[in-house]
């Protein structure tokens, strides 16, 4: 995962661009909220997606990773073998810092391009949503005009992840325990969306937030 601080600096993006931080624990439904916000017209920036984009085959980012870590981090098709790269960097702080030095500046640059394009678009009151999984853990909530937290009951989250991702219940609960608590997220939230029900019920909540918090000035 790309470190979330690469998305937090909004200097130079224009005073009328509304910067929104979106976060939530694993299985809470953050991605579904991001999808609905995009459908409503928000520019959604996903740090993990950008981190993959800037090191796709043919990019200078990938070439620099290969130069730093060797061709053993490549799959036969020329893309990054992420498990292999992970084994190198996650137990080696120096290697991890080296990888971040390759990826983070490219993500920052790509983020700036996306936000600048939104600010220059026909609608000057653009809403840019930064999907930041570790927003609370990294203390980044002050960087945004509005912080949206998505939450769901733990048993609901466990059931979703077991069914949708094939995770074991013990793995899910361990992941939940390693993240910020609901209370910690609520403490920094401007808006809390509770996602214990159907997708249409979730979308209805997001629509209200869009009209009443993100479109009003």
């Amino acid at each position: 995962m790309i470190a979330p601080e690469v998305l937090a600096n909004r200097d130079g993006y224009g005073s009328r661009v509304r910067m929104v931080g979106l976060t939530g624990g694993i299985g809470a439904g953050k991605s579904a909220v991001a999808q609905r916000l995009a459908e409503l017209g928000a520019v959604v920036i996903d740090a993990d997606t950008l981190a993959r984009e800037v090191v796709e085959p043919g990019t200078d980012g990938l070439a620099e990773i290969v130069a730093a870590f060797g061709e053993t981090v490549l799959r036969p098709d020329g893309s990054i073998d992420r498990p292999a790269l992970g084994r190198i960097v996650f137990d080696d702080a120096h290697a991890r810092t080296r990888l971040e030095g390759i990826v983070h500046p490219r993500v920052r640059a790509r983020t700036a391009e996306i936000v600048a394009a939104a600010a220059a678009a026909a609608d000057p009151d653009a809403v840019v949503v930064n999907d930041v999984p570790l927003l609370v853990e990294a203390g980044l909530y002050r960087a945004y005009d509005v912080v949206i937290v998505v939450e769901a009951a733990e048993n609901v989250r466990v059931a979703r992840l077991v069914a949708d991702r094939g995770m074991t219940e013990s793995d899910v609960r361990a992941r939940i325990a390693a993240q910020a608590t609901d209370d910690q997220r609520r403490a920094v939230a401007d808006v809390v969306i509770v996602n214990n029900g159907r997708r249409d019920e979730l979308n209805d909540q997001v629509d209200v937030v869009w009209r009443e918090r993100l479109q009003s000035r």
Side-chain angles (χ1 to χ4, degrees):
M1 178 187 297
I2 191 74
E5 62 267 20
V6 300
L7 298 181
N9 182 1
R10 61 198 193 96
D11 293 346
Y13 291 159
S15 60
R16 300 189 68 182
V17 174
R18 178 159 290 191
M19 300 295 289
V20 178
L22 173 65
T23 195
I26 185 172
K30 178 172 57 63
S31 296
V33 171
Q35 180 179 337
R36 183 58 175 175
L37 288 169
E39 291 169 354
L40 292 169
V43 177
V44 176
I45 300 174
D46 184 325
D48 289 344
T49 297
L50 293 188
R52 291 189 293 270
E53 177 185 313
V54 300
V55 294
E56 289 178 346
T59 63
D60 62 347
L62 179 61
E64 193 168 342
I65 285 175
V66 173
F69 300 105
E71 294 192 357
T72 59
V73 301
L74 293 180
R75 296 184 183 279
D77 65 1
S79 63
I80 289 181
D81 184 334
R82 295 185 182 279
L85 182 59
R87 287 191 292 272
I88 294 172
V89 304
F90 289 120
D91 289 330
D92 184 332
H94 176 73
R96 186 165 60 252
T97 298
R98 190 174 185 184
L99 176 63
E100 291 169 352
I102 296 169
V103 177
H104 288 192
R106 290 171 170 84
V107 172
R108 283 196 294 269
R110 182 67 185 122
T111 300
E113 290 174 359
I114 294 170
V115 177
D123 179 7
D125 297 317
V127 175
V128 176
V129 176
N130 292 289
D131 183 339
V132 186
L134 301 180
L135 182 145
V136 174
E137 291 87 338
L140 298 174
Y141 51 90
R142 296 182 184 88
Y144 301 99
D145 299 309
V146 180
V147 173
I148 299 174
V149 168
V150 186
E151 66 176 50
E154 183 169 325
N155 65 317
V156 173
R157 296 164 64 186
V158 170
R160 286 175 182 157
L161 293 166
V162 169
D164 298 342
R165 298 192 195 177
M167 298 174 67
T168 66
E169 180 176 343
S170 60
D171 285 344
V172 174
R173 294 192 185 279
R175 291 283 298 275
I176 291 173
Q179 296 181 334
T181 66
D182 287 341
D183 286 343
Q184 288 171 323
R185 293 191 186 93
R186 290 188 205 111
V188 304
D190 297 300
V191 176
V192 175
I193 294 174
V194 179
N195 179 31
N196 288 324
R198 302 189 309 270
R199 183 66 173 265
D200 61 327
E201 294 173 333
L202 175 65
N203 287 345
D204 287 345
Q205 291 187 71
V206 177
D207 291 354
V208 171
V209 173
W210 177 258
R211 291 193 306 269
E212 297 184 359
R213 291 303 302 267
L214 304 185
Q215 289 292 284
S216 61
R217 295 282 171 158

